[in-house]
Amino acid sequence: MQDTTNSAGIAGRICRLELSHRIYGEAFYTFMLECARLSEKKDVLPVTVSERLLSRYPLCEGAAVLVQGQLRSYNKLIDGKVRLCLTVFAREIREAQGNVNEILLQGFLCKKPVYRITPFGREITDMLVAVNRAFNKSDYIPCIVWGDNARFAEGFDVGGKVRLWGRIQSREYEKAMENGEKLKRTAYEVSVSRLEKEWQGNA
C-alpha cells in the first residue's frame, strides 16, 4: 500500500457486478466483494472500478481478486434522506493470494469521539475521520476502536490529527421506522487495531 493517507487492500470473491454510473463518458462499475474473516463470518464490501481498469483486468462474478485502492465516501439520497455511503475505489486489481483486509488512514477528527460499553461489556469508541484527497475533496470515514485503544481515543480532540491501521468491515443492523416497521441495513466502517495521535508528517 503506497498511499500514505488512505490506502486499502481487500481480497475476496466478486458478486453482483453491475454498471454504476458514467462521468464525462467514462463508465464506472460496482461490485460486492465477499471477504473472509478469521472467524466463519464474512464481510461483504462495496467496490467501485473504472472501465479503464477493467480493460486491463476483466472481471467475472465468482472470481477471487485482490483490490488495492482507497476507501472513499459519498452522499446518496436513500428513503428521502441524504446518507453517507462508503466504497473501496479500485486503483489496482489482480488475482488474490490469501486473505487480505487492511487499511491505513491519516486524517482529522470531525466529531467528538463517543465512548460506550456494549451490553456484553466491551469498550468501544466511535470516531469520524476526515481524510483529504486531491482536488480539495475529503472522505469521511466512520471508525470503531476497541478496548484500551477505545479509552485512549476517547480523549482525542475535534480537529486533531490521527493515524490508524485496521480492517474494513460490514455490519448488519435494524433501523426502526416511525410506523414501527424495522428495516435491515448494512453499515460499513473501519475496525481499528492500532492508532496514533498527532502523527508527524504532511497531511
Side-chain angles (χ1 to χ4, degrees):
M1 297 190 299
Q2 297 181 352
D3 193 309
T4 59
T5 60
N6 186 338
S7 182
I10 55 175
R13 292 196 175 274
I14 295 173
C15 58
R16 303 206 304 268
L17 175 66
E18 59 187 22
L19 176 66
S20 173
H21 60 280
R22 294 179 181 272
I23 298 179
Y24 302 117
E26 181 178 1
F28 291 85
Y29 291 80
T30 59
F31 60 87
M32 305 303 291
L33 196 67
E34 293 184 344
C35 305
R37 294 190 185 184
L38 294 178
S39 64
E40 295 181 357
K41 294 183 179 181
K42 294 182 180 180
D43 292 298
V44 183
L45 306 175
V47 178
T48 301
V49 56
S50 165
E51 63 179 348
R52 298 182 184 181
L53 192 57
L54 291 182
S55 66
R56 301 195 301 270
Y57 195 107
L59 301 179
C60 62
E61 293 194 13
V65 298
L66 170 65
V67 177
Q68 292 184 312
Q70 295 180 325
L71 183 59
R72 295 186 177 180
S73 69
Y74 62 96
N75 292 322
K76 185 176 182 179
L77 187 64
I78 301 176
D79 299 331
K81 294 183 179 180
V82 177
R83 303 188 184 278
L84 182 72
C85 299
L86 300 182
T87 186
V88 176
F89 185 82
R91 289 186 163 176
E92 181 180 351
I93 298 178
R94 61 178 183 267
E95 184 178 353
Q97 295 181 348
N99 293 331
V100 178
N101 186 337
E102 56 187 14
I103 185 167
L104 163 66
L105 296 175
Q106 292 184 167
F108 303 84
L109 287 178
C110 2
K111 290 184 178 180
K112 179 67 178 173
V114 178
Y115 173 85
R116 55 193 168 93
I117 299 178
T118 71
F120 298 101
R122 298 194 70 181
E123 295 176 283
I124 295 176
T125 292
D126 296 303
M127 302 191 307
L128 186 63
V129 179
V131 180
N132 295 332
R133 61 177 158 103
F135 308 110
N136 293 321
K137 294 184 178 181
S138 297
D139 295 297
Y140 298 90
I141 313 297
C143 302
I144 187 166
V145 190
W146 308 86
D148 291 341
N149 282 335
R151 293 194 296 273
F152 177 50
E154 180 188 13
F156 288 7
D157 296 323
V158 175
K161 298 178 182 178
V162 63
R163 175 165 56 187
L164 58 88
W165 296 258
R167 58 189 301 279
I168 308 168
Q169 68 180 22
S170 60
R171 174 175 52 84
E172 293 186 348
Y173 68 99
E174 288 187 341
K175 173 71 172 180
M177 308 303 289
E178 293 181 358
N179 60 5
E181 182 183 1
K182 292 185 177 180
L183 297 179
K184 287 188 176 182
R185 289 182 175 166
T186 303
Y188 304 101
E189 60 205 3
V190 172
S191 178
V192 178
S193 58
R194 175 186 166 199
L195 76 165
E196 296 176 354
K197 181 182 179 181
E198 297 295 336
W199 47 269
Q200 300 297 315
N202 295 324

